[in-house]
Amino acid sequence: MDGVEQLTRIPFDTMRDVITEAFVKAGMSAGDAAQCAAFHTQASCDGVYSHGLNRVARFVDYVKKGWVNLGGKPEPVRSLAAIEVFDGHRGPGILNALFASDRSMELAERNGVGIVALRNTTHWMRGGAFGWHAAEKGYVAMCWTNTESCMPAWGAQNTRLGNNPFVMAVPRDNGHIVLDMAMSQYAYGKLQVTRLKGENLPFPGGFDKNGVLTSEPGPIEESMRILPMGYWKGSGFAILLDTLAAVLSEGAPTYEIDQIQEGSCTGCSQIFIAIDPRQLGGEAFTNRVADGVADYVNGSTPDEKSKEVLYPGQIEVRVRKDHLENGIVVDDGIWAEVLALAGRSA
């Protein structure tokens, strides 16, 4: 495969329906399966393949192993005005996170700001989905999760940090500004997608087993020595996100998640913060500021290797438009695997 454009394209509705069937066969209720399938499909539709279609088989495997509790629902633990804590009982991560995101917005509608801390949950798949979800409803959002250790602290060889994805979103009529990033230079999902395409990373992303910095995704996956973004800065950021997620949710930090050893993010802690800008400067003010920022960034002079300069979230909107018009690109092997999970033939 020389590039994404050579891959098979699948209509949005078809992909969503197939994933729904796969989840139902795994034991989910029809409603829960449809909701989770919509999030997986939207992730692939926006070009985040690693946490969309590509993650379906792993989720089904976790369900079969009992690492995801299909009946788990968020249970209130503590309420302090604008702050609430819930136990997710290891329910499906998308459903738990969607509940927490919606609840944070309900609190923000009442208080201007809402904070929901969620403990003992499972992988939320594409974290940025909850930034887009809040922005669509007019809220500023910040959310993050801790994970099992999958990244060395700066200066270390062995993994002791999660890559702890962090999301920020600002609503805007002309296109929301949404940042979705891991604390590693590249998330493991990006390594997988790049390896499947037979490509190297555009910049070094980690060390091979001999401690040599490399742009080849395979050796980095093998060594698990992914590079913290910003070197020591990303390492420090990851440590604080982990600590705060556990402290605020009264949940597990990375070193305790490591002791569980039941797949990616099982038992993790997550934070959802929503702010209603309509109760501050107002919707028009927010749009004016966000438009100004976006236009100012887009007006940058591109460097020698770039054609344009984009703000966070701008690429996703373009990819989404293309995929909705022409079908979502898929890896043929992964699509066949999900079809089989749904009981369909390729």
mmCIF file of all heavy atoms in Angstrom, residues 23-48:
data_model
loop_
_atom_site.group_PDB
_atom_site.id
_atom_site.type_symbol
_atom_site.label_atom_id
_atom_site.label_comp_id
_atom_site.label_asym_id
_atom_site.label_seq_id
_atom_site.Cartn_x
_atom_site.Cartn_y
_atom_site.Cartn_z
ATOM 1 N N PHE A 23 -20.794 -5.692 17.633
ATOM 2 C CA PHE A 23 -20.938 -5.449 19.066
ATOM 3 C C PHE A 23 -22.138 -6.206 19.647
ATOM 4 O O PHE A 23 -22.079 -6.700 20.770
ATOM 5 C CB PHE A 23 -21.053 -3.950 19.345
ATOM 6 C CG PHE A 23 -19.771 -3.183 19.137
ATOM 7 C CD1 PHE A 23 -19.787 -1.801 19.021
ATOM 8 C CD2 PHE A 23 -18.555 -3.833 19.067
ATOM 9 C CE1 PHE A 23 -18.608 -1.085 18.845
ATOM 10 C CE2 PHE A 23 -17.371 -3.140 18.882
ATOM 11 C CZ PHE A 23 -17.404 -1.752 18.767
ATOM 12 N N VAL A 24 -23.206 -6.281 18.893
ATOM 13 C CA VAL A 24 -24.374 -7.047 19.353
ATOM 14 C C VAL A 24 -23.993 -8.516 19.502
ATOM 15 O O VAL A 24 -24.352 -9.185 20.485
ATOM 16 C CB VAL A 24 -25.559 -6.866 18.390
ATOM 17 C CG1 VAL A 24 -26.658 -7.875 18.706
ATOM 18 C CG2 VAL A 24 -26.112 -5.448 18.482
ATOM 19 N N LYS A 25 -23.263 -9.044 18.528
ATOM 20 C CA LYS A 25 -22.820 -10.439 18.613
ATOM 21 C C LYS A 25 -21.881 -10.667 19.797
ATOM 22 O O LYS A 25 -21.797 -11.780 20.321
ATOM 23 C CB LYS A 25 -22.141 -10.859 17.310
ATOM 24 C CG LYS A 25 -23.105 -11.170 16.184
ATOM 25 C CD LYS A 25 -22.398 -11.739 14.975
ATOM 26 C CE LYS A 25 -23.407 -12.206 13.930
ATOM 27 N NZ LYS A 25 -24.213 -13.367 14.406
ATOM 28 N N ALA A 26 -21.200 -9.607 20.221
ATOM 29 C CA ALA A 26 -20.304 -9.715 21.373
ATOM 30 C C ALA A 26 -21.065 -9.651 22.696
ATOM 31 O O ALA A 26 -20.467 -9.864 23.756
ATOM 32 C CB ALA A 26 -19.251 -8.614 21.324
ATOM 33 N N GLY A 27 -22.374 -9.325 22.629
ATOM 34 C CA GLY A 27 -23.179 -9.327 23.839
ATOM 35 C C GLY A 27 -23.753 -7.987 24.241
ATOM 36 O O GLY A 27 -24.472 -7.899 25.242
ATOM 37 N N MET A 28 -23.496 -6.925 23.489
ATOM 38 C CA MET A 28 -24.036 -5.614 23.838
ATOM 39 C C MET A 28 -25.508 -5.529 23.466
ATOM 40 O O MET A 28 -25.970 -6.191 22.530
ATOM 41 C CB MET A 28 -23.277 -4.494 23.115
ATOM 42 C CG MET A 28 -21.823 -4.343 23.478
ATOM 43 S SD MET A 28 -21.091 -2.818 22.794
ATOM 44 C CE MET A 28 -21.566 -1.642 24.070
ATOM 45 N N SER A 29 -26.243 -4.686 24.175
ATOM 46 C CA SER A 29 -27.619 -4.398 23.793
ATOM 47 C C SER A 29 -27.594 -3.630 22.480
ATOM 48 O O SER A 29 -26.591 -2.989 22.129
ATOM 49 C CB SER A 29 -28.316 -3.566 24.867
ATOM 50 O OG SER A 29 -27.766 -2.258 24.921
ATOM 51 N N ALA A 30 -28.694 -3.677 21.756
ATOM 52 C CA ALA A 30 -28.745 -3.017 20.446
ATOM 53 C C ALA A 30 -28.484 -1.519 20.568
ATOM 54 O O ALA A 30 -27.760 -0.929 19.752
ATOM 55 C CB ALA A 30 -30.097 -3.268 19.789
ATOM 56 N N GLY A 31 -29.061 -0.894 21.600
ATOM 57 C CA GLY A 31 -28.888 0.550 21.778
ATOM 58 C C GLY A 31 -27.459 0.922 22.108
ATOM 59 O O GLY A 31 -26.892 1.866 21.535
ATOM 60 N N ASP A 32 -26.842 0.196 23.044
ATOM 61 C CA ASP A 32 -25.451 0.482 23.423
ATOM 62 C C ASP A 32 -24.514 0.211 22.250
ATOM 63 O O ASP A 32 -23.569 0.977 22.003
ATOM 64 C CB ASP A 32 -25.033 -0.383 24.615
ATOM 65 C CG ASP A 32 -25.657 0.078 25.925
ATOM 66 O OD1 ASP A 32 -26.288 1.153 25.931
ATOM 67 O OD2 ASP A 32 -25.510 -0.639 26.936
ATOM 68 N N ALA A 33 -24.787 -0.871 21.516
ATOM 69 C CA ALA A 33 -23.947 -1.211 20.373
ATOM 70 C C ALA A 33 -24.000 -0.121 19.316
ATOM 71 O O ALA A 33 -22.968 0.269 18.756
ATOM 72 C CB ALA A 33 -24.391 -2.547 19.780
ATOM 73 N N ALA A 34 -25.198 0.389 19.047
ATOM 74 C CA ALA A 34 -25.350 1.428 18.027
ATOM 75 C C ALA A 34 -24.620 2.702 18.434
ATOM 76 O O ALA A 34 -23.991 3.367 17.601
ATOM 77 C CB ALA A 34 -26.830 1.717 17.792
ATOM 78 N N GLN A 35 -24.710 3.045 19.716
ATOM 79 C CA GLN A 35 -24.056 4.269 20.188
ATOM 80 C C GLN A 35 -22.534 4.147 20.104
ATOM 81 O O GLN A 35 -21.850 5.065 19.630
ATOM 82 C CB GLN A 35 -24.481 4.561 21.636
ATOM 83 C CG GLN A 35 -24.292 6.001 22.056
ATOM 84 C CD GLN A 35 -25.137 6.340 23.276
ATOM 85 O OE1 GLN A 35 -25.307 5.528 24.175
ATOM 86 N NE2 GLN A 35 -25.657 7.550 23.320
ATOM 87 N N CYS A 36 -22.003 3.020 20.528
ATOM 88 C CA CYS A 36 -20.556 2.812 20.451
ATOM 89 C C CYS A 36 -20.094 2.741 19.002
ATOM 90 O O CYS A 36 -19.060 3.299 18.636
ATOM 91 C CB CYS A 36 -20.166 1.533 21.185
ATOM 92 S SG CYS A 36 -20.269 1.647 22.988
ATOM 93 N N ALA A 37 -20.874 2.055 18.162
ATOM 94 C CA ALA A 37 -20.511 1.929 16.748
ATOM 95 C C ALA A 37 -20.463 3.288 16.066
ATOM 96 O O ALA A 37 -19.602 3.537 15.209
ATOM 97 C CB ALA A 37 -21.500 1.018 16.035
ATOM 98 N N ALA A 38 -21.368 4.189 16.443
ATOM 99 C CA ALA A 38 -21.372 5.527 15.853
ATOM 100 C C ALA A 38 -20.078 6.265 16.183
ATOM 101 O O ALA A 38 -19.513 6.965 15.333
ATOM 102 C CB ALA A 38 -22.577 6.313 16.352
ATOM 103 N N PHE A 39 -19.584 6.105 17.418
ATOM 104 C CA PHE A 39 -18.339 6.770 17.816
ATOM 105 C C PHE A 39 -17.140 6.161 17.085
ATOM 106 O O PHE A 39 -16.247 6.891 16.636
ATOM 107 C CB PHE A 39 -18.144 6.677 19.330
ATOM 108 C CG PHE A 39 -18.774 7.805 20.086
ATOM 109 C CD1 PHE A 39 -20.154 7.901 20.210
ATOM 110 C CD2 PHE A 39 -18.005 8.793 20.685
ATOM 111 C CE1 PHE A 39 -20.750 8.945 20.896
ATOM 112 C CE2 PHE A 39 -18.584 9.844 21.375
ATOM 113 C CZ PHE A 39 -19.957 9.921 21.482
ATOM 114 N N HIS A 40 -17.097 4.841 16.958
ATOM 115 C CA HIS A 40 -16.007 4.198 16.226
ATOM 116 C C HIS A 40 -16.011 4.652 14.764
ATOM 117 O O HIS A 40 -14.950 4.954 14.191
ATOM 118 C CB HIS A 40 -16.144 2.673 16.286
ATOM 119 C CG HIS A 40 -15.635 2.060 17.542
ATOM 120 N ND1 HIS A 40 -14.353 1.598 17.673
ATOM 121 C CD2 HIS A 40 -16.237 1.825 18.735
ATOM 122 C CE1 HIS A 40 -14.171 1.099 18.877
ATOM 123 N NE2 HIS A 40 -15.305 1.222 19.546
ATOM 124 N N THR A 41 -17.193 4.681 14.152
ATOM 125 C CA THR A 41 -17.294 5.065 12.751
ATOM 126 C C THR A 41 -16.897 6.513 12.554
ATOM 127 O O THR A 41 -16.199 6.853 11.587
ATOM 128 C CB THR A 41 -18.721 4.822 12.229
ATOM 129 O OG1 THR A 41 -19.099 3.470 12.488
ATOM 130 C CG2 THR A 41 -18.801 5.094 10.734
ATOM 131 N N GLN A 42 -17.330 7.384 13.468
ATOM 132 C CA GLN A 42 -16.981 8.799 13.346
ATOM 133 C C GLN A 42 -15.479 9.000 13.475
ATOM 134 O O GLN A 42 -14.895 9.857 12.790
ATOM 135 C CB GLN A 42 -17.709 9.630 14.411
ATOM 136 C CG GLN A 42 -17.565 11.137 14.216
ATOM 137 C CD GLN A 42 -18.195 11.601 12.908
ATOM 138 O OE1 GLN A 42 -19.394 11.408 12.686
ATOM 139 N NE2 GLN A 42 -17.399 12.211 12.040
ATOM 140 N N ALA A 43 -14.829 8.209 14.322
ATOM 141 C CA ALA A 43 -13.375 8.316 14.456
ATOM 142 C C ALA A 43 -12.694 8.006 13.129
ATOM 143 O O ALA A 43 -11.823 8.756 12.668
ATOM 144 C CB ALA A 43 -12.876 7.370 15.547
ATOM 145 N N SER A 44 -13.091 6.909 12.487
ATOM 146 C CA SER A 44 -12.516 6.586 11.182
ATOM 147 C C SER A 44 -12.902 7.625 10.134
ATOM 148 O O SER A 44 -12.102 7.978 9.266
ATOM 149 C CB SER A 44 -12.974 5.198 10.724
ATOM 150 O OG SER A 44 -12.215 4.180 11.334
ATOM 151 N N CYS A 45 -14.120 8.131 10.215
ATOM 152 C CA CYS A 45 -14.579 9.146 9.273
ATOM 153 C C CYS A 45 -13.723 10.404 9.354
ATOM 154 O O CYS A 45 -13.464 11.063 8.348
ATOM 155 C CB CYS A 45 -16.042 9.492 9.549
ATOM 156 S SG CYS A 45 -16.781 10.623 8.360
ATOM 157 N N ASP A 46 -13.233 10.721 10.561
ATOM 158 C CA ASP A 46 -12.388 11.904 10.752
ATOM 159 C C ASP A 46 -10.915 11.599 10.528
ATOM 160 O O ASP A 46 -10.061 12.465 10.737
ATOM 161 C CB ASP A 46 -12.583 12.469 12.159
ATOM 162 C CG ASP A 46 -13.931 13.165 12.321
ATOM 163 O OD1 ASP A 46 -14.708 13.210 11.360
ATOM 164 O OD2 ASP A 46 -14.201 13.668 13.432
ATOM 165 N N GLY A 47 -10.615 10.360 10.122
ATOM 166 C CA GLY A 47 -9.233 10.007 9.835
ATOM 167 C C GLY A 47 -8.467 9.432 10.992
ATOM 168 O O GLY A 47 -7.266 9.164 10.879
ATOM 169 N N VAL A 48 -9.142 9.221 12.142
ATOM 170 C CA VAL A 48 -8.477 8.639 13.307
ATOM 171 C C VAL A 48 -8.760 7.137 13.285
ATOM 172 O O VAL A 48 -9.501 6.596 14.103
ATOM 173 C CB VAL A 48 -8.972 9.295 14.620
ATOM 174 C CG1 VAL A 48 -8.119 8.843 15.809
ATOM 175 C CG2 VAL A 48 -8.923 10.815 14.504
#
